[in-house]
Amino acid sequence: MDERQLRVLRELGELGSVTAVAEAMRVTPSAISQQLRLLQRSIPVPLTERDGRRLVLTAAGQALADAAIGVETALARARHTVDAFVERPDGAVSVAAFHSGAAAFFPLLLRRLRPPGSPVLSLHDEDVAQHDFPPLTRHYDLVIAHRLDHAPPWPRTATATALLREPLDVALPVDHPLAAKPRLTPRDVADQPWITVHDGFPLLATIEAVSAAAGRRVEIAHRINEIAVVAEVVAAGGGVALMPRWTSRPHPAVVLRPLDGIHAHRHIDVLHRPERAARRAVRTVLTELRHTAETVRSRGGAAGDPPQ
């Protein structure tokens, strides 16, 4: 049995005829009769009987019709509860992000959502390969992810909202001979020892592009995913690296220089399953993430853009 069938039975008990029920529910009498037949199949005793030309409820039918009132009342309460949950402005919202994205976005997001009545954030760091970001939307309301310019687009199972298209610069120690140059080419840096990410992570493809453009294979000295650790290793003379211009924290012993001749950018997007955005709190956090992205861009531009 289902809600519609129970409602038909209840209306039949109150209105007294299939025709009257059909008019009340704005369907045909045959549709009402079909619903009654389907309901009867799930009940072991007769629910209706003929009284002359009229179809009336049996005692069992009347008992079930009375119970239907409670069912409809419970369902109405459930719908109201769902509506309240969906429209609640201060609902809980879980947000996951890769490490440098988390460092850049999470503090700003927390400050923007500090006023009473704002969504309640649950923040998580997830450092995964590009193809593993979309599955995270099963576990989190919003997932801040990154991919390179020419990487495959995100699958249609996830809705993507663009936040930033961020340049990737070459990170050098401040006293490195190449630090005096305002811009670098693949040939400039191909002979340097490199610090890069583990296999499967977005930045690695750009290192391979540097190698191809320079016409020789680059030496990968260290594999480190955490940007803050990369900066420390660069500062200590461990090699050069690609670092994001806006979301990496400035290091006093490291300079960033643009890399010419390579499409060295990454997209930072926020992914979510479409149904998650039905909640008002999730939509609020999405809006604040877009505002936060503008702050990240402006702060990075003011503090860390390399000389032109």
Side-chain angles (χ1 to χ4, degrees), residues 9 26 61 72 90 114 159 171 177 211 219 239 299 301:
L9 190 71
R26 298 183 179 181
E72 287 201 58
D90 59 348
R114 186 176 293 164
T159 298
S211 179
E219 173 199 350
R299 283 187 177 182

Side-chain angles (χ1 to χ4, degrees), residues 99 127-131 146 195-205 207-208 220 222-226 229-230:
H99 288 163
D127 189 32
V128 300
Q130 180 180 323
H131 64 271
H146 60 136
I195 307 156
T196 189
V197 293
H198 294 276
D199 289 339
F201 288 79
L203 293 182
L204 189 60
I207 305 298
E208 294 168 351
I220 297 178
H222 311 287
R223 288 185 180 268
I224 303 169
N225 276 18
E226 173 53 55
V229 179
V230 172

Side-chain angles (χ1 to χ4, degrees), residues 121-188:
L121 293 175
S122 174
L123 304 176
H124 308 261
D125 65 326
E126 290 281 0
D127 189 32
V128 300
Q130 180 180 323
H131 64 271
D132 288 326
F133 279 113
L136 290 176
T137 60
R138 296 190 185 101
H139 309 294
Y140 303 108
D141 294 311
L142 300 170
V143 176
I144 301 173
H146 60 136
R147 66 177 181 85
L148 293 182
D149 258 349
H150 298 297
W154 302 115
R156 294 182 179 179
T157 53
T159 298
T161 300
L163 296 178
L164 292 172
R165 182 173 178 265
E166 181 177 30
L168 303 173
D169 297 325
V170 178
L172 306 155
V174 290
D175 57 355
H176 194 287
L178 291 174
K181 299 186 67 171
R183 308 186 73 85
L184 300 174
T185 69
R187 287 185 177 276
D188 290 330

Side-chain angles (χ1 to χ4, degrees), residues 2-4 6 68-81:
D2 63 28
E3 176 191 3
R4 184 174 179 82
L6 289 174
I69 298 173
V71 171
E72 287 201 58
T73 301
L75 287 171
R77 288 174 179 162
R79 291 191 190 97
H80 177 74
T81 299

Side-chain angles (χ1 to χ4, degrees), residues 93 95 105 109 112-113 119 121 141-144 159-163 269-274 276-293:
V93 178
V95 184
F105 282 90
L109 193 60
R112 293 188 69 93
L113 294 174
L121 293 175
D141 294 311
L142 300 170
V143 176
I144 301 173
T159 298
T161 300
L163 296 178
D269 304 315
V270 57
L271 310 180
H272 64 87
R273 295 200 163 196
R276 302 273 187 163
R279 292 179 53 214
R280 179 179 173 184
V282 173
R283 294 196 303 273
T284 297
V285 177
L286 266 174
T287 298
E288 294 303 331
L289 277 172
R290 288 194 290 268
H291 294 318
T292 299

